[in-house]
Amino acid sequence: DHLSEGQRLRAECAAQRHRQRCPKICVIDPNNWLDSWHQRFKALGIKWLRSPAGAHPDIFDKNSLLAFAHQKDRHHELLESGAVNPELASLPEVGSGLWNLPSNALFEDFCSDLASCLPHTFLHGKVASISGHDGDFTVKVLDSSLDVKDVKDGLVGDEKKPSYRCRELTAKAVVLALGVPGPAAVPAALSAVPEKLMFHSDFQLGSRLKEVNHKKVLVLGGGLTAVQVAQLALKKNCKVVLVSRRPLTTRHFDINEKWFDRRKANVYHYEFFQKPVEERLKHIRATRGGGSVPPMYMKEICADSRLTFKVGEVELISVQTDSVDVAVDGKVQRFDLIVNACGHRPDCKELPLIKELLQTAPVDVVGGFPTLSQDLQWGDFKHFFVIGALASLQVGPDAGNLMGLRRAAQIVANAMDVRAWLRDTKSVLGNIRGNRYDALGSDSDSDSD
């Protein structure tokens, strides 16, 4: 029997839904399920995940991705991460393969299989505003083709006569999972470069990366995305100059491996939560270190003579019709295209939805991040939650990564007590959270009667 514990539990959940009423969950997103993930990875041609096989969305079972790989006879799509040192080698999960890296294809198929079991309603659209109070929130949702400013300008009708392209939903609870904590970071020195000659690597989910072809390209950034953009450009016969403000740092994961060691991770999280909010911000910056590159990527790019590394600042010299002159390390070079891979700067006040929320339900903002309760609640609300990178001050340096998202999801689930419907059963065996040992005792008693 190759079913993972997570698959068994999801099957039990499905059976429970036929007997009891479970919470109704609506997911609102402009794109299809995990579409942003798919498009970004496809645009950059990423084959392997950086996160290990133990980092995935299945809350029930940390081994379920491994079980899925073996079920589908795809265990060859698990790559040795190289992160295991003698100190970590004694961990049981190392031997089981949880520290291996899954291929992106395997991970996407696993997530699709996971999503197929969800009872959620999926709604295509953009959230323009959230109002109301605990137990009675109103969420205004726009058609995916519209923008928030269209509502402000009155282009989709007014409050009394809303257009069919704008609808309102009511909800007892709201969870914000917005992804990036702020706008794209753009080096001030290059702010005058026109859009046709410079774009952010994440613009429209990487759609403009197809323009990187047979050109001289300047790539800005010191993290993995910058290196992946440089690799893509090399594959498309470009001459590439990669400029970072500091020397590239080699690290297997976004954060140090110690945060993945369950013997110590709780201690690191405890120490993090004991710090004042301002100190937490410094701790996050120090832990993440402004971006890093896994050793296998570093080895590949160092071996390619078409790529030039530079450390320092850039200066815009002049802009031509189809090229840009930039001073790199004091030497002026002409580039056909500039790709900005400097990530996103934390500044939640620049996110339209958060900007409006701060006006109606203000909270303190520290270093661009909103301050939340320990249960990730916004302000005085008890059923309005924030997860993802925006919750970094309350989750930790890995808030925007898969492991941090799993912890955040568990916090929210516990705070809302959404598992109560699973406990309301007459039989212990019918209770997904029941004690199987007690169930055996109950069965023995009934047999003796």
Side-chain angles (χ1 to χ4, degrees), residues 230-241 297-309:
Q231 285 185 315
L232 177 68
L234 293 173
K235 291 177 182 177
K236 295 189 175 184
N237 299 307
C238 295
K239 187 174 182 181
V240 184
V241 177
Y297 282 93
M298 189 72 80
K299 182 179 179 180
E300 290 177 8
I301 60 176
C302 287
D304 200 313
S305 60
R306 295 171 298 168
L307 176 62
T308 302
F309 292 97

mmCIF file of all heavy atoms in Angstrom, residues 230-241 297-309:
data_model
loop_
_atom_site.group_PDB
_atom_site.id
_atom_site.type_symbol
_atom_site.label_atom_id
_atom_site.label_comp_id
_atom_site.label_asym_id
_atom_site.label_seq_id
_atom_site.Cartn_x
_atom_site.Cartn_y
_atom_site.Cartn_z
ATOM 1 N N ALA A 230 20.337 35.147 -16.103
ATOM 2 C CA ALA A 230 21.610 35.104 -16.824
ATOM 3 C C ALA A 230 21.771 33.782 -17.560
ATOM 4 O O ALA A 230 22.209 33.752 -18.724
ATOM 5 C CB ALA A 230 22.763 35.316 -15.845
ATOM 6 N N GLN A 231 21.409 32.679 -16.920
ATOM 7 C CA GLN A 231 21.495 31.370 -17.568
ATOM 8 C C GLN A 231 20.580 31.291 -18.781
ATOM 9 O O GLN A 231 20.950 30.749 -19.830
ATOM 10 C CB GLN A 231 21.137 30.266 -16.577
ATOM 11 C CG GLN A 231 22.219 29.960 -15.560
ATOM 12 C CD GLN A 231 21.855 28.765 -14.690
ATOM 13 O OE1 GLN A 231 20.734 28.657 -14.211
ATOM 14 N NE2 GLN A 231 22.803 27.864 -14.484
ATOM 15 N N LEU A 232 19.371 31.817 -18.642
ATOM 16 C CA LEU A 232 18.428 31.826 -19.754
ATOM 17 C C LEU A 232 19.000 32.612 -20.931
ATOM 18 O O LEU A 232 18.905 32.174 -22.088
ATOM 19 C CB LEU A 232 17.102 32.444 -19.301
ATOM 20 C CG LEU A 232 16.015 32.587 -20.367
ATOM 21 C CD1 LEU A 232 15.504 31.209 -20.787
ATOM 22 C CD2 LEU A 232 14.853 33.442 -19.852
ATOM 23 N N ALA A 233 19.591 33.776 -20.631
ATOM 24 C CA ALA A 233 20.176 34.607 -21.685
ATOM 25 C C ALA A 233 21.331 33.886 -22.386
ATOM 26 O O ALA A 233 21.486 33.980 -23.608
ATOM 27 C CB ALA A 233 20.646 35.929 -21.093
ATOM 28 N N LEU A 234 22.130 33.157 -21.621
ATOM 29 C CA LEU A 234 23.233 32.416 -22.218
ATOM 30 C C LEU A 234 22.729 31.326 -23.161
ATOM 31 O O LEU A 234 23.300 31.085 -24.225
ATOM 32 C CB LEU A 234 24.100 31.802 -21.124
ATOM 33 C CG LEU A 234 24.878 32.784 -20.234
ATOM 34 C CD1 LEU A 234 25.555 32.045 -19.097
ATOM 35 C CD2 LEU A 234 25.905 33.563 -21.050
ATOM 36 N N LYS A 235 21.647 30.670 -22.762
ATOM 37 C CA LYS A 235 21.062 29.628 -23.607
ATOM 38 C C LYS A 235 20.521 30.201 -24.912
ATOM 39 O O LYS A 235 20.426 29.491 -25.916
ATOM 40 C CB LYS A 235 19.935 28.918 -22.855
ATOM 41 C CG LYS A 235 20.405 28.058 -21.689
ATOM 42 C CD LYS A 235 19.218 27.456 -20.946
ATOM 43 C CE LYS A 235 19.688 26.639 -19.739
ATOM 44 N NZ LYS A 235 18.521 26.099 -18.964
ATOM 45 N N LYS A 236 20.181 31.488 -24.888
ATOM 46 C CA LYS A 236 19.643 32.146 -26.081
ATOM 47 C C LYS A 236 20.706 32.976 -26.798
ATOM 48 O O LYS A 236 20.413 33.965 -27.456
ATOM 49 C CB LYS A 236 18.443 33.004 -25.699
ATOM 50 C CG LYS A 236 17.259 32.189 -25.185
ATOM 51 C CD LYS A 236 16.021 33.036 -25.023
ATOM 52 C CE LYS A 236 14.819 32.204 -24.642
ATOM 53 N NZ LYS A 236 13.574 33.023 -24.564
ATOM 54 N N ASN A 237 21.947 32.542 -26.618
ATOM 55 C CA ASN A 237 23.078 33.125 -27.341
ATOM 56 C C ASN A 237 23.267 34.619 -27.106
ATOM 57 O O ASN A 237 23.538 35.391 -28.018
ATOM 58 C CB ASN A 237 22.927 32.868 -28.847
ATOM 59 C CG ASN A 237 22.914 31.385 -29.177
ATOM 60 O OD1 ASN A 237 23.810 30.649 -28.777
ATOM 61 N ND2 ASN A 237 21.885 30.942 -29.885
ATOM 62 N N CYS A 238 23.106 35.011 -25.857
ATOM 63 C CA CYS A 238 23.345 36.403 -25.480
ATOM 64 C C CYS A 238 24.711 36.535 -24.819
ATOM 65 O O CYS A 238 25.241 35.581 -24.264
ATOM 66 C CB CYS A 238 22.271 36.886 -24.506
ATOM 67 S SG CYS A 238 20.606 36.965 -25.195
ATOM 68 N N LYS A 239 25.263 37.737 -24.882
ATOM 69 C CA LYS A 239 26.434 38.065 -24.099
ATOM 70 C C LYS A 239 25.934 38.779 -22.864
ATOM 71 O O LYS A 239 25.176 39.743 -22.960
ATOM 72 C CB LYS A 239 27.382 38.965 -24.886
ATOM 73 C CG LYS A 239 28.706 39.209 -24.182
ATOM 74 C CD LYS A 239 29.671 39.980 -25.050
ATOM 75 C CE LYS A 239 31.003 40.174 -24.333
ATOM 76 N NZ LYS A 239 31.962 40.956 -25.174
ATOM 77 N N VAL A 240 26.318 38.304 -21.685
ATOM 78 C CA VAL A 240 25.666 38.742 -20.450
ATOM 79 C C VAL A 240 26.673 39.348 -19.472
ATOM 80 O O VAL A 240 27.762 38.806 -19.264
ATOM 81 C CB VAL A 240 24.946 37.562 -19.761
ATOM 82 C CG1 VAL A 240 24.185 38.047 -18.532
ATOM 83 C CG2 VAL A 240 24.022 36.855 -20.736
ATOM 84 N N VAL A 241 26.255 40.463 -18.862
ATOM 85 C CA VAL A 241 26.977 41.047 -17.749
ATOM 86 C C VAL A 241 26.039 41.031 -16.550
ATOM 87 O O VAL A 241 24.938 41.577 -16.614
ATOM 88 C CB VAL A 241 27.430 42.496 -18.040
ATOM 89 C CG1 VAL A 241 28.112 43.094 -16.811
ATOM 90 C CG2 VAL A 241 28.369 42.525 -19.237
ATOM 91 N N TYR A 297 24.097 26.001 -9.136
ATOM 92 C CA TYR A 297 23.953 27.103 -10.084
ATOM 93 C C TYR A 297 25.265 27.883 -10.195
ATOM 94 O O TYR A 297 25.680 28.283 -11.289
ATOM 95 C CB TYR A 297 22.843 28.047 -9.635
ATOM 96 C CG TYR A 297 21.451 27.550 -9.917
ATOM 97 C CD1 TYR A 297 20.746 26.833 -8.960
ATOM 98 C CD2 TYR A 297 20.829 27.802 -11.137
ATOM 99 C CE1 TYR A 297 19.462 26.374 -9.212
ATOM 100 C CE2 TYR A 297 19.554 27.346 -11.399
ATOM 101 C CZ TYR A 297 18.866 26.633 -10.434
ATOM 102 O OH TYR A 297 17.599 26.171 -10.686
ATOM 103 N N MET A 298 25.907 28.114 -9.072
ATOM 104 C CA MET A 298 27.159 28.855 -9.068
ATOM 105 C C MET A 298 28.215 28.146 -9.910
ATOM 106 O O MET A 298 28.968 28.778 -10.662
ATOM 107 C CB MET A 298 27.643 29.025 -7.633
ATOM 108 C CG MET A 298 28.828 29.964 -7.502
ATOM 109 S SD MET A 298 28.383 31.696 -7.773
ATOM 110 C CE MET A 298 27.679 32.085 -6.168
ATOM 111 N N LYS A 299 28.261 26.827 -9.789
ATOM 112 C CA LYS A 299 29.237 26.056 -10.546
ATOM 113 C C LYS A 299 28.994 26.191 -12.048
ATOM 114 O O LYS A 299 29.951 26.337 -12.831
ATOM 115 C CB LYS A 299 29.155 24.585 -10.126
ATOM 116 C CG LYS A 299 30.160 23.682 -10.820
ATOM 117 C CD LYS A 299 30.033 22.247 -10.319
ATOM 118 C CE LYS A 299 31.024 21.342 -11.019
ATOM 119 N NZ LYS A 299 30.909 19.919 -10.544
ATOM 120 N N GLU A 300 27.748 26.175 -12.454
ATOM 121 C CA GLU A 300 27.409 26.254 -13.877
ATOM 122 C C GLU A 300 27.774 27.607 -14.471
ATOM 123 O O GLU A 300 28.365 27.693 -15.554
ATOM 124 C CB GLU A 300 25.918 25.974 -14.075
ATOM 125 C CG GLU A 300 25.513 24.531 -13.821
ATOM 126 C CD GLU A 300 24.022 24.331 -13.961
ATOM 127 O OE1 GLU A 300 23.333 25.280 -14.393
ATOM 128 O OE2 GLU A 300 23.534 23.231 -13.635
ATOM 129 N N ILE A 301 27.404 28.687 -13.771
ATOM 130 C CA ILE A 301 27.635 30.008 -14.359
ATOM 131 C C ILE A 301 29.109 30.402 -14.333
ATOM 132 O O ILE A 301 29.571 31.149 -15.205
ATOM 133 C CB ILE A 301 26.790 31.084 -13.650
ATOM 134 C CG1 ILE A 301 27.134 31.166 -12.162
ATOM 135 C CG2 ILE A 301 25.304 30.824 -13.854
ATOM 136 C CD1 ILE A 301 26.398 32.272 -11.429
ATOM 137 N N CYS A 302 29.850 29.904 -13.359
ATOM 138 C CA CYS A 302 31.278 30.228 -13.291
ATOM 139 C C CYS A 302 32.051 29.560 -14.428
ATOM 140 O O CYS A 302 33.164 29.996 -14.775
ATOM 141 C CB CYS A 302 31.867 29.795 -11.956
ATOM 142 S SG CYS A 302 31.356 30.838 -10.564
ATOM 143 N N ALA A 303 31.476 28.517 -14.995
ATOM 144 C CA ALA A 303 32.156 27.778 -16.054
ATOM 145 C C ALA A 303 31.881 28.349 -17.442
ATOM 146 O O ALA A 303 32.445 27.868 -18.426
ATOM 147 C CB ALA A 303 31.736 26.305 -16.010
ATOM 148 N N ASP A 304 31.031 29.370 -17.546
ATOM 149 C CA ASP A 304 30.664 29.922 -18.856
ATOM 150 C C ASP A 304 31.379 31.249 -19.083
ATOM 151 O O ASP A 304 31.138 32.232 -18.384
ATOM 152 C CB ASP A 304 29.144 30.115 -18.937
ATOM 153 C CG ASP A 304 28.663 30.210 -20.380
ATOM 154 O OD1 ASP A 304 29.278 30.963 -21.151
ATOM 155 O OD2 ASP A 304 27.679 29.541 -20.715
ATOM 156 N N SER A 305 32.252 31.285 -20.081
ATOM 157 C CA SER A 305 33.059 32.477 -20.358
ATOM 158 C C SER A 305 32.253 33.625 -20.953
ATOM 159 O O SER A 305 32.737 34.766 -20.992
ATOM 160 C CB SER A 305 34.203 32.111 -21.305
ATOM 161 O OG SER A 305 33.680 31.612 -22.536
ATOM 162 N N ARG A 306 31.041 33.333 -21.423
ATOM 163 C CA ARG A 306 30.220 34.408 -22.002
ATOM 164 C C ARG A 306 29.601 35.299 -20.936
ATOM 165 O O ARG A 306 29.048 36.350 -21.234
ATOM 166 C CB ARG A 306 29.102 33.803 -22.861
ATOM 167 C CG ARG A 306 29.577 33.043 -24.085
ATOM 168 C CD ARG A 306 28.423 32.311 -24.734
ATOM 169 N NE ARG A 306 27.839 31.312 -23.831
ATOM 170 C CZ ARG A 306 26.678 30.679 -24.055
ATOM 171 N NH1 ARG A 306 25.975 30.982 -25.144
ATOM 172 N NH2 ARG A 306 26.236 29.779 -23.200
ATOM 173 N N LEU A 307 29.688 34.887 -19.685
ATOM 174 C CA LEU A 307 29.103 35.650 -18.582
ATOM 175 C C LEU A 307 30.193 36.397 -17.827
ATOM 176 O O LEU A 307 31.205 35.822 -17.426
ATOM 177 C CB LEU A 307 28.358 34.707 -17.634
ATOM 178 C CG LEU A 307 27.769 35.321 -16.364
ATOM 179 C CD1 LEU A 307 26.730 36.372 -16.703
ATOM 180 C CD2 LEU A 307 27.165 34.248 -15.476
ATOM 181 N N THR A 308 29.962 37.704 -17.633
ATOM 182 C CA THR A 308 30.891 38.542 -16.878
ATOM 183 C C THR A 308 30.243 38.972 -15.570
ATOM 184 O O THR A 308 29.115 39.463 -15.574
ATOM 185 C CB THR A 308 31.277 39.797 -17.687
ATOM 186 O OG1 THR A 308 31.859 39.388 -18.930
ATOM 187 C CG2 THR A 308 32.280 40.647 -16.916
ATOM 188 N N PHE A 309 30.956 38.770 -14.457
ATOM 189 C CA PHE A 309 30.463 39.186 -13.142
ATOM 190 C C PHE A 309 31.062 40.538 -12.780
ATOM 191 O O PHE A 309 32.250 40.767 -12.988
ATOM 192 C CB PHE A 309 30.861 38.187 -12.048
ATOM 193 C CG PHE A 309 30.193 36.845 -12.163
ATOM 194 C CD1 PHE A 309 30.835 35.792 -12.773
ATOM 195 C CD2 PHE A 309 28.930 36.641 -11.633
ATOM 196 C CE1 PHE A 309 30.247 34.551 -12.867
ATOM 197 C CE2 PHE A 309 28.327 35.404 -11.718
ATOM 198 C CZ PHE A 309 28.976 34.357 -12.334
#
